[in-house]
Amino acid sequence: MEQRPAEQGRTTLMLKPSPEAEPIELTPGTWNLRSRVHEYGGGVVAIGSGAGGASADEPVVVVVNDRDRCLWRLETGPRASYPVRLTEPGARAFADGLIDERHQRWIGVMESDGTDRLVTVALAGGEPQLLRQPLDFCGYAVLSPDGGRLAWVEWQQPHMPWDRSQLWLADVEPGGDLGPAQLIAGSGAPGQPSACSIFQPLWLPNGDLVVANDRHGWWNLELLEASGQEPWQRLLPMEAEFAMPQWVYGMRTTAWDGRQLVAAACVQGSWQLGRVVLNPAEDPDGGAGVAPARWEPISCPFDDLEGLRAEDGQLVAVAGNGTTAAGLLTLELASGRWRHQTAADLAGALPRAQPATWATPAEALWFEGHGGRPTHAWYHPPSGGAHPAAPLLVKGHSGPTGMARTGLNPVNQYWTSRGWGVVDVNYGGSTGFGRAYRERLDGLWGVVDVADCAAAARALVAAGLASAERIAIEGGSAGGFTVLAALCFSNGFRAGACRYAVADLSGLASSSHRFEARYLDGLVGPWPADRATYEARSPLRHADRIRCPVIFFQGLQDKVVPPEQTEGIVAALAANRVPVELHRFAAEGHGFRSGSVQIEVLEATEAFFRKHLAL
């Protein structure tokens, strides 16, 4: 998948017949591959081997075309025909599919009439057929190697999938229907706590099932043997996360390459690749049979990883690091040889992948955050070196269940190349540091995140790395809420920048889209019972406490944070004679995709800060 900011942010599907071959674009014309399930989408491509294609040896590809929101079948190879539309347009959205070759069908999620359904669509086309009706949300379905069993994940409001979810299993009957479903792991499963989350079920060739489960406080890998007679085994008891919050479909951190299990693990906010050696004869310290598995790190210069896949001894992922932009990583597991190509490299813009010599890699910063607890951030020093007079930009990531990452971010480098330090804060509630760290934000959104962002800035000022008089804060979506709350309820910030920011918690709770309709129950409190708390923390209700300049950016197609939220806070600030700017984008939604819009936002923000901080 390749997103193209220069083409209004459309996403297209590329094919490399071999690691050395030139890429071929598979999607025709100006197609944009995008799913609207849960608004955030993901999981727009499903690939099967020789299932219904122009030839039995050529894979078939099913995609979601954003133009009509339908499923389309693409064929590859020299005899490929024009794409075939499998479903008719309607008030529904598709995502997260797989190809069931035995029954010549697509299996995936359809969202319609305010609910998720696990459905099938014939590769020849036709109306979706119901396979499973969950109580609320579902996805991440996987077929066993023999096609005889299906596993999938479900979760229900008011919980988000990273709070509480369940793993279900059912036999696939000869006619294609599912047999009785069994709850086998996660919240409510026998012997497991109610507060645990499941990520990415993966079948092994022998019928064993592997998942990441955080019932012990970390998203660790666990294995269920094919017989189902033995309990789940915790493969790697590590203070590491083999998962990430399921905002979108299609995320992968584990894979089977044909002979071995490989995975990506997040340790102290940084990702690493490794082999999961199952049933090792002995551990590195000489103890026989101490653990069900052993972790063997794979030497690789990349510490920002996602989209992991493997087959026939070769691993692929989207990878980057502090000096290399995210790109396609291919790695031969036996030899350790790897090749990395960014989107620009693949397009022939550069002769070969090269580190960005102008980039300043992030430095880990641990400081005392809310409640005196150790809190993490990534600090990017100014390109000319940090000093007591340097301006500082504090960043709050979106989510708020997300994380600040280590990969090369040109936006951060834009600031550091202009003399700014940037601190990207993994405030309490962030992913990558275990469940307890994530739960710091429970009921305290607008308190913990604000305190941690302010504490990160104070730590850098105290260390002589930034000026207390030149601190700005910026963020988008939930990060934008943190910006506004910080300007309302803390001291020290001299300017702010918000992209599609949450300004009114009460308004969001009463109008949010389905996926996040009850999200604030956990972050703030049950709505509307805790209305007083919502109002006490809503920046719109306390706009008179904001006295510093703020710049806003809003997409008018935003279904997650309605434009009315931004309009309301801007009007309130203007009425209070606070310097304020608002930039609207008619074609953008939640998250700006167009490259020209992204550039405009960045340059307008810098100009605004220069003016109001007298830089």
Side-chain angles (χ1 to χ4, degrees):
M1 303 292 293
E2 184 174 301
Q3 191 178 75
R4 296 180 173 175
E7 300 177 24
Q8 288 73 53
R10 82 177 183 96
T11 298
T12 189
L13 183 64
M14 307 297 293
L15 166 68
K16 282 171 68 69
S18 69
E20 297 76 23
E22 291 297 316
I24 301 166
E25 185 171 6
L26 292 183
T27 38
T30 58
W31 278 28
N32 180 32
L33 304 187
R34 184 181 181 185
S35 165
R36 303 288 179 147
V37 169
H38 306 164
E39 296 299 331
Y40 294 108
V44 299
V45 178
I47 302 172
S49 300
S55 163
D57 298 325
E58 296 168 3
V60 64
V61 180
V62 175
V63 301
V64 181
N65 183 358
D66 192 49
R67 180 174 298 173
D68 57 12
R69 315 288 170 86
C70 293
L71 294 176
W72 288 73
R73 191 182 77 230
L74 307 180
E75 295 175 352
T76 61
R79 294 178 292 170
S81 61
Y82 190 78
V84 176
R85 189 166 66 187
L86 303 183
T87 58
E88 293 300 316
R92 56 197 183 190
F94 298 93
D96 197 38
L98 61 88
I99 304 299
D100 177 4
E101 296 173 13
R102 175 190 290 182
H103 296 96
Q104 291 289 283
R105 60 185 181 175
W106 177 93
I107 298 176
V109 177
M110 182 179 76
E111 184 181 26
S112 64
D113 300 322
T115 187
D116 286 1
R117 294 176 174 87
L118 202 58
V119 301
T120 68
V121 175
L123 292 178
E127 273 299 295
Q129 302 298 308
L130 181 65
L131 195 61
R132 164 78 174 180
Q133 178 65 70
L135 290 176
D136 210 339
F137 297 94
C138 69
Y140 311 99
V142 285
L143 267 175
S144 61
D146 63 4
R149 290 183 294 170
L150 187 76
W152 68 94
V153 175
E154 295 184 8
W155 68 99
Q156 300 83 36
Q157 293 180 349
H159 306 295
M160 303 301 284
W162 50 85
D163 295 326
R164 301 186 184 193
S165 60
Q166 307 87 36
L167 181 66
W168 291 82
L169 177 69
D171 290 335
V172 180
E173 297 176 345
D177 291 336
L178 293 184
Q182 305 173 51
L183 174 60
I184 61 171
S187 297
Q192 302 201 7
S194 61
C196 62
S197 170
I198 298 296
F199 180 89
Q200 194 198 339
L202 173 71
W203 291 100
L204 303 187
N206 63 356
D208 290 352
L209 189 59
V210 174
V211 299
N213 189 339
D214 70 349
R215 61 182 170 137
H216 296 289
W218 297 81
W219 265 316
N220 282 180
L221 295 180
E222 299 191 348
L223 180 142
L224 181 68
E225 294 184 354
S227 66
Q229 301 302 311
E230 298 296 326
W232 287 91
Q233 297 183 66
R234 190 180 178 196
L235 295 177
L236 297 165
M238 297 169 58
E239 290 192 351
E241 302 271 54
F242 290 82
M244 51 187 66
Q246 301 96 306
W247 282 101
V248 298
Y249 289 117
M251 298 181 295
R252 291 179 178 270
T253 59
T254 56
W256 180 264
D257 83 325
R259 293 177 293 276
Q260 60 189 327
L261 184 64
V262 291
C266 186
V267 181
Q268 298 288 295
S270 181
W271 289 87
Q272 60 179 247
L273 285 173
R275 295 178 179 84
V276 181
V277 182
L278 300 172
N279 303 311
E282 60 182 36
D283 75 353
D285 299 320
V290 171
R294 184 174 67 246
W295 177 248
E296 291 185 353
I298 296 172
S299 178
C300 176
F302 303 102
D303 58 9
D304 192 15
L305 301 158
E306 56 186 334
L308 185 70
R309 303 256 185 175
E311 185 175 338
D312 196 24
Q314 182 171 262
L315 176 148
V316 297
V318 176
N321 59 31
T323 58
T324 307
L328 183 65
L329 170 69
T330 58
L331 186 148
E332 294 179 2
L333 289 163
S335 67
R337 290 193 297 266
W338 57 268
R339 177 185 178 92
H340 184 269
Q341 295 173 285
T342 66
D345 299 332
L346 290 164
L350 296 174
R352 65 182 186 277
Q354 295 178 337
T357 55
W358 41 264
T360 52
E363 302 170 3
L365 172 69
W366 285 93
F367 59 94
E368 192 175 278
H370 180 266
R373 289 176 291 194
T375 304
H376 179 271
W378 293 110
Y379 172 60
H380 304 260
S383 57
H387 53 87
L392 177 68
L393 181 62
V394 179
K395 298 183 67 173
H397 60 70
S398 61
T401 307
M403 66 182 294
R405 303 179 71 111
T406 57
L408 176 63
N409 183 339
V411 171
N412 290 340
Q413 303 303 321
Y414 177 90
W415 292 103
T416 59
S417 69
R418 284 154 175 80
W420 288 72
V422 176
V423 60
D424 212 349
V425 185
N426 275 313
Y427 50 77
S430 300
T431 303
F433 304 89
R435 188 177 185 96
Y437 196 105
R438 216 162 62 236
E439 290 178 341
R440 290 184 189 180
L441 205 60
D442 287 0
L444 293 172
W445 190 32
V447 177
V448 170
D449 48 329
V450 167
D452 287 350
C453 286
R458 288 196 300 271
L460 291 168
V461 170
L465 302 177
S467 166
E469 303 304 316
R470 294 176 169 180
I471 302 176
I473 184 169
E474 79 89 27
S477 191
F481 167 77
T482 299
V483 169
L484 293 174
L487 298 182
C488 279
F489 308 121
S490 72
N491 298 316
F493 297 106
R494 299 294 189 259
C498 297
R499 289 167 282 113
Y500 33 86
V502 175
D504 180 15
L505 292 178
S506 301
L508 187 67
S510 58
S511 65
S512 185
H513 64 116
R514 174 175 165 257
F515 181 67
E516 296 183 87
R518 301 292 301 278
Y519 188 21
L520 299 192
D521 282 26
L523 293 174
V524 182
W527 173 263
D530 285 353
R531 182 187 295 271
T533 304
Y534 281 73
E535 294 182 352
R537 292 195 202 153
S538 289
L540 182 60
R541 307 274 178 169
H542 305 279
D544 59 314
R545 302 184 63 167
I546 299 178
R547 308 311 304 170
C548 67
V550 192
I551 186 169
F552 294 84
F553 305 92
Q554 179 68 46
L556 300 184
Q557 304 301 316
D558 198 332
K559 301 293 180 59
V560 178
V561 178
E564 292 76 20
Q565 291 238 354
T566 296
E567 301 280 355
I569 188 76
V570 167
L573 294 178
N576 293 335
R577 299 183 181 276
V578 173
V580 62
E581 282 186 20
L582 171 57
H583 297 248
R584 303 176 181 87
F585 303 101
E588 292 286 355
H590 196 73
F592 301 148
R593 292 171 172 257
S594 167
S596 62
V597 168
Q598 294 173 29
I599 291 170
E600 180 179 339
V601 169
L602 193 56
E603 292 183 338
T605 302
E606 193 221 357
F608 187 83
F609 287 168
R610 269 205 326 268
K611 174 182 177 181
H612 292 286
L613 296 182
L615 294 174

